[in-house]
Amino acid sequence: MRRLMKRVAAAVLMAACLVSLSACTAKQEDAAAKVPEISTEGTLVDDAMAQSLKLSAAQTLGTSMEQMIIQKALTEAQGDQESANLYNTQIEIRHELGDVKGIDLDSASVVLLADGSYTVMIPVTFTEGSMQYVLNLNMATQELKTEFTDLGNDDDGKGVGSLMESATVYSAIGIGTVFAVLVFISLLIACFKFIHQWETGKNTKKDTPAPAPVPAAPVNTAAPAVSADLSDDAEFVAVITAAIAAYEGTSSNGLVVRSIRRVQGSRRR
């Protein structure tokens, strides 16, 4: 039994390690899946063109879900796949995070890329989270790209305090998980002693011999006492014969007494 419990403890520890590794792998895959496709590295601009792009992007974000579905169908029918992709991106994010609750134009920014295109970045608050809306417009080719990125993906834009806070939270979660697993394993090992005592007591009860049966007390069956034969006493025989003859009202000549015995418990009257 103790060997089985040790195997169970080892299996639990291995499972905890596998879960931790799978969580780290899932986090890395999730981070890799959210790598931005639109470049935001460029020269920050704040001219009339930048303001116009901000307003156009915000106007697109303010469109209702029903209107977006209609506009997507119309642009697809007209063969405008770029505009259809723009609406499709917003439809998908709203299915995931809900309706738009706020558009932060004050924190929005526009950068001019090396290829001459503009990239607009606007923080957007949804019902179930916040994302950054990124729109890239190439004025020369009229090519339009849009996507939503996580506001916390770019660690370069974070301050030292924010980075330390995130690191502290992740460290606390990791250390807490490790200690929780160690405490569980310690409690499991501590239970081995009680399990061993329980098994020992159980085996002792099985090995204890059954008590020997107590012999029954012997029953004293005394034979009834037999009185001595008094027929040899001639005088006593004569008296008895006379008494019987008197009782019968006959002569004692025809009476023969063969045996006289005293009955126990008889009383004289």
Side-chain angles (χ1 to χ4, degrees):
M1 185 67 180
R2 296 182 64 184
R3 184 178 300 175
L4 177 61
M5 296 303 295
K6 289 181 180 179
R7 291 180 179 177
V8 172
V12 171
L13 181 60
M14 185 177 296
C17 295
L18 291 176
V19 169
S20 301
L21 291 175
S22 62
C24 295
T25 304
K27 185 177 180 180
Q28 292 177 356
E29 291 177 353
D30 188 43
K34 293 183 179 180
V35 174
E37 297 179 358
I38 300 175
S39 176
T40 57
E41 299 293 333
T43 304
L44 186 65
V45 294
D46 193 15
D47 52 8
M49 176 62 71
Q51 296 298 325
S52 177
L53 290 173
K54 289 181 185 179
L55 293 175
S56 298
Q59 185 178 4
T60 305
L61 290 169
T63 307
S64 65
M65 187 71 167
E66 293 77 8
Q67 291 178 352
M68 283 190 179
I69 295 174
I70 295 173
Q71 291 295 330
K72 177 187 175 183
L74 291 175
T75 52
E76 287 179 346
Q78 295 173 359
D80 188 358
Q81 191 61 38
E82 291 183 357
S83 298
N85 292 337
L86 184 148
Y87 292 116
N88 186 58
T89 301
Q90 295 201 32
I91 291 172
E92 289 179 352
I93 198 66
R94 292 189 186 189
H95 279 305
E96 181 180 353
L97 299 179
D99 296 332
V100 176
K101 295 298 181 181
I103 301 172
D104 190 3
L105 284 176
D106 295 334
S107 300
S109 59
V110 180
V111 295
L112 178 62
L113 304 183
D115 60 356
S117 62
Y118 290 90
T119 297
V120 184
M121 294 165 287
I122 303 177
V124 184
T125 302
F126 295 91
T127 304
E128 299 181 3
S130 298
M131 299 290 286
Q132 180 172 255
Y133 179 59
V134 181
L135 182 145
N136 178 263
L137 176 61
N138 192 322
M139 302 298 293
T141 62
Q142 294 298 313
E143 183 180 0
L144 183 65
K145 297 178 182 178
T146 59
E147 68 176 355
F148 284 91
T149 60
D150 192 351
L151 290 173
N153 280 345
D154 190 8
D155 291 338
D156 295 336
K158 292 184 178 180
V160 177
S162 179
L163 292 175
M164 290 297 295
E165 182 179 357
S166 300
T168 303
V169 171
Y170 289 133
S171 299
I173 293 174
I175 294 173
T177 303
V178 172
F179 271 100
V181 174
L182 291 177
V183 169
F184 174 75
I185 295 175
S186 300
L187 293 176
L188 189 62
I189 294 174
C191 292
F192 289 165
K193 178 177 66 175
F194 301 102
I195 295 173
H196 178 67
Q197 292 177 355
W198 176 73
E199 288 183 345
T200 304
K202 189 175 181 181
N203 294 332
T204 303
K205 290 181 180 179
K206 289 183 178 180
D207 297 338
T208 302
V214 179
V219 180
N220 187 10
T221 56
V226 180
S227 59
D229 190 1
L230 302 178
S231 59
D232 295 336
D233 191 348
E235 294 180 357
F236 187 72
V237 171
V239 173
I240 293 300
T241 303
I244 294 173
Y247 180 78
E248 295 290 338
T250 60
S251 175
S252 60
N253 294 329
L255 296 178
V256 178
V257 178
R258 299 184 182 278
S259 176
I260 301 174
R261 296 182 182 277
R262 185 186 300 276
V263 179
Q264 293 183 355
S266 61
R267 295 182 180 179
R268 292 183 179 180
R269 294 183 181 180

